[in-house]
Amino acid sequence: MKTLKTTLFAAIALFAFSTVSAQEKNPLVKPAITTTPAAAKPAAPVAWKAEVYDFGDIKKGTPVSHDFTFTNTTKQTVLITNVKASCGCTATDYTKTPVKPGETAYVKATYNAAAPGAFSKTVTVTLNENETPKVLTIKGKVIEPQS
Protein backbone atom coordinates (compact mmCIF):
# COMPACT_ATOMS: atom_id res chain seq x y z
CA MET A 1 0.00 0.00 0.00
CA LYS A 2 2.86 2.31 0.86
CA THR A 3 4.41 1.59 -2.54
CA LEU A 4 1.14 2.36 -4.28
CA LYS A 5 0.87 5.75 -2.51
CA THR A 6 4.49 6.57 -3.38
CA THR A 7 3.98 5.59 -7.00
CA LEU A 8 0.77 7.59 -7.25
CA PHE A 9 2.44 10.66 -5.65
CA ALA A 10 5.38 10.33 -8.07
CA ALA A 11 3.04 10.08 -11.06
CA ILE A 12 1.10 13.20 -10.02
CA ALA A 13 4.32 15.14 -9.41
CA LEU A 14 5.73 14.06 -12.77
CA PHE A 15 2.51 15.07 -14.55
CA ALA A 16 2.47 18.51 -12.87
CA PHE A 17 6.15 19.08 -13.70
CA SER A 18 5.71 18.06 -17.35
CA THR A 19 2.68 20.37 -17.71
CA VAL A 20 4.64 23.38 -16.38
CA SER A 21 7.54 22.58 -18.68
CA ALA A 22 5.25 22.34 -21.68
CA GLN A 23 3.70 25.74 -20.89
CA GLU A 24 7.12 27.36 -20.57
CA LYS A 25 8.17 26.01 -23.97
CA ASN A 26 4.90 26.70 -25.81
CA PRO A 27 5.05 30.08 -27.58
CA LEU A 28 1.24 30.31 -27.61
CA VAL A 29 1.08 30.43 -23.83
CA LYS A 30 1.25 34.03 -22.56
CA PRO A 31 3.87 34.72 -19.90
CA ALA A 32 2.67 35.47 -16.39
CA ILE A 33 4.50 38.79 -16.34
CA THR A 34 3.64 41.33 -18.99
CA THR A 35 5.22 44.66 -19.68
CA THR A 36 3.32 47.83 -20.42
CA PRO A 37 4.49 49.65 -23.55
CA ALA A 38 5.76 53.19 -23.11
CA ALA A 39 2.96 55.71 -23.22
CA ALA A 40 2.59 57.29 -26.61
CA LYS A 41 2.94 61.06 -26.73
CA PRO A 42 -0.52 62.52 -27.13
CA ALA A 43 -1.15 64.58 -30.23
CA ALA A 44 -1.06 68.33 -29.79
CA PRO A 45 -4.60 69.63 -29.27
CA VAL A 46 -4.06 72.60 -31.59
CA ALA A 47 -1.84 73.68 -34.47
CA TRP A 48 -0.27 77.10 -33.93
CA LYS A 49 0.36 79.17 -37.07
CA ALA A 50 3.55 80.52 -35.41
CA GLU A 51 5.02 80.44 -31.92
CA VAL A 52 7.50 83.33 -32.31
CA TYR A 53 6.90 86.76 -33.81
CA ASP A 54 9.63 89.34 -34.50
CA PHE A 55 8.42 92.95 -34.73
CA GLY A 56 11.83 94.11 -35.96
CA ASP A 57 12.55 97.78 -35.23
CA ILE A 58 9.71 99.72 -33.60
CA LYS A 59 9.54 103.33 -32.47
CA LYS A 60 9.74 104.10 -28.76
CA GLY A 61 6.34 105.03 -27.33
CA THR A 62 4.42 103.09 -29.99
CA PRO A 63 2.73 99.94 -28.63
CA VAL A 64 2.72 97.01 -31.05
CA SER A 65 0.46 93.94 -31.16
CA HIS A 66 0.49 90.52 -32.75
CA ASP A 67 -2.25 87.88 -32.92
CA PHE A 68 -0.99 84.33 -32.49
CA THR A 69 -3.59 82.04 -34.05
CA PHE A 70 -4.25 78.34 -33.73
CA THR A 71 -6.63 75.77 -35.17
CA ASN A 72 -8.26 73.08 -33.06
CA THR A 73 -7.05 69.84 -34.70
CA THR A 74 -8.84 67.44 -32.35
CA LYS A 75 -12.35 66.05 -32.29
CA GLN A 76 -12.91 67.70 -28.89
CA THR A 77 -13.70 71.30 -27.99
CA VAL A 78 -10.76 73.13 -26.41
CA LEU A 79 -10.80 76.16 -24.15
CA ILE A 80 -8.09 78.67 -23.33
CA THR A 81 -8.02 78.48 -19.53
CA ASN A 82 -5.09 80.81 -18.78
CA VAL A 83 -2.90 83.37 -20.54
CA LYS A 84 0.00 84.94 -18.68
CA ALA A 85 2.53 87.49 -19.94
CA SER A 86 6.11 87.36 -18.64
CA CYS A 87 6.03 91.00 -17.50
CA GLY A 88 3.78 94.02 -17.02
CA CYS A 89 5.00 95.61 -20.26
CA THR A 90 3.03 93.02 -22.26
CA ALA A 91 -0.77 92.94 -22.28
CA THR A 92 -2.81 90.00 -23.54
CA ASP A 93 -6.21 89.25 -24.97
CA TYR A 94 -7.56 85.94 -26.26
CA THR A 95 -10.56 83.99 -27.50
CA LYS A 96 -12.72 83.39 -24.44
CA THR A 97 -15.30 81.07 -25.99
CA PRO A 98 -14.84 77.31 -26.49
CA VAL A 99 -13.04 76.44 -29.73
CA LYS A 100 -14.80 73.65 -31.61
CA PRO A 101 -12.95 71.14 -33.82
CA GLY A 102 -11.63 72.84 -36.96
CA GLU A 103 -12.21 76.36 -35.61
CA THR A 104 -9.52 79.02 -35.25
CA ALA A 105 -8.81 81.16 -32.18
CA TYR A 106 -6.27 83.79 -31.17
CA VAL A 107 -4.01 85.02 -28.39
CA LYS A 108 -3.04 88.69 -28.78
CA ALA A 109 0.20 90.04 -27.27
CA THR A 110 0.61 93.82 -27.07
CA TYR A 111 4.04 95.19 -26.12
CA ASN A 112 4.40 98.68 -24.63
CA ALA A 113 7.53 99.98 -26.36
CA ALA A 114 8.51 102.39 -23.57
CA ALA A 115 12.21 101.59 -23.16
CA PRO A 116 14.76 101.58 -26.00
CA GLY A 117 16.69 98.41 -26.74
CA ALA A 118 16.13 94.80 -27.73
CA PHE A 119 13.33 92.84 -26.09
CA SER A 120 12.09 89.27 -25.97
CA LYS A 121 8.90 88.59 -24.01
CA THR A 122 6.84 85.45 -23.55
CA VAL A 123 3.16 84.69 -23.19
CA THR A 124 2.25 81.35 -21.62
CA VAL A 125 -1.03 79.85 -22.83
CA THR A 126 -2.85 76.98 -21.16
CA LEU A 127 -5.56 75.10 -23.07
CA ASN A 128 -7.87 72.94 -21.00
CA GLU A 129 -6.64 72.37 -17.49
CA ASN A 130 -4.56 69.21 -18.03
CA GLU A 131 -2.62 70.33 -21.09
CA THR A 132 1.02 71.37 -21.03
CA PRO A 133 1.20 75.16 -21.45
CA LYS A 134 2.47 76.61 -24.74
CA VAL A 135 5.01 79.44 -24.59
CA LEU A 136 4.71 82.06 -27.32
CA THR A 137 7.43 84.68 -27.89
CA ILE A 138 7.43 88.25 -29.19
CA LYS A 139 10.67 90.07 -29.83
CA GLY A 140 12.11 93.10 -31.53
CA LYS A 141 14.09 96.28 -30.93
CA VAL A 142 12.73 99.57 -29.64
CA ILE A 143 14.49 102.56 -31.25
CA GLU A 144 14.40 106.26 -30.41
CA PRO A 145 12.36 108.25 -32.93
CA GLN A 146 14.45 110.54 -35.11
CA SER A 147 13.91 114.26 -34.54
Side-chain angles (χ1 to χ4, degrees), residues 128-146:
N128 301 343
E129 292 182 10
N130 355 354
E131 296 295 328
T132 302
K134 173 61 74 181
V135 178
L136 306 172
T137 303
I138 55 171
K139 60 185 179 175
K141 183 178 179 183
V142 177
I143 55 174
E144 294 281 350
Q146 295 179 359

Side-chain angles (χ1 to χ4, degrees), residues 78-126:
V78 297
L79 181 66
I80 299 173
T81 57
N82 193 25
V83 175
K84 183 173 171 107
S86 60
C87 72
C89 60
T90 305
T92 60
D93 189 23
Y94 57 94
T95 301
K96 298 186 179 59
T97 57
V99 184
K100 295 178 182 175
E103 289 184 343
T104 300
Y106 75 94
V107 173
K108 179 184 277 191
T110 301
Y111 179 69
N112 180 7
F119 69 91
S120 179
K121 305 297 178 184
T122 61
V123 175
T124 303
V125 181
T126 306

Side-chain angles (χ1 to χ4, degrees), residues 5 28 36 59:
K5 286 182 183 178
L28 299 177
T36 304
K59 291 181 185 176

Side-chain angles (χ1 to χ4, degrees), residues 1-128:
M1 188 69 144
K2 187 176 183 182
T3 308
L4 181 61
K5 286 182 183 178
T6 305
T7 307
L8 186 58
F9 176 77
I12 291 172
L14 181 62
F15 175 76
F17 179 76
S18 66
T19 303
V20 170
S21 295
Q23 286 177 345
E24 289 173 356
K25 293 177 185 176
N26 186 347
L28 299 177
V29 176
K30 293 182 180 178
I33 300 173
T34 59
T35 57
T36 304
K41 185 177 178 181
V46 299
W48 290 92
K49 185 174 179 182
E51 297 175 22
V52 177
Y53 184 78
D54 189 345
F55 289 106
D57 290 347
I58 56 176
K59 291 181 185 176
K60 179 180 174 184
T62 306
V64 290
S65 295
H66 177 70
D67 286 349
F68 291 96
T69 59
F70 68 83
T71 302
N72 179 355
T73 58
T74 69
K75 294 181 181 180
Q76 305 292 326
T77 299
V78 297
L79 181 66
I80 299 173
T81 57
N82 193 25
V83 175
K84 183 173 171 107
S86 60
C87 72
C89 60
T90 305
T92 60
D93 189 23
Y94 57 94
T95 301
K96 298 186 179 59
T97 57
V99 184
K100 295 178 182 175
E103 289 184 343
T104 300
Y106 75 94
V107 173
K108 179 184 277 191
T110 301
Y111 179 69
N112 180 7
F119 69 91
S120 179
K121 305 297 178 184
T122 61
V123 175
T124 303
V125 181
T126 306
L127 303 173
N128 301 343

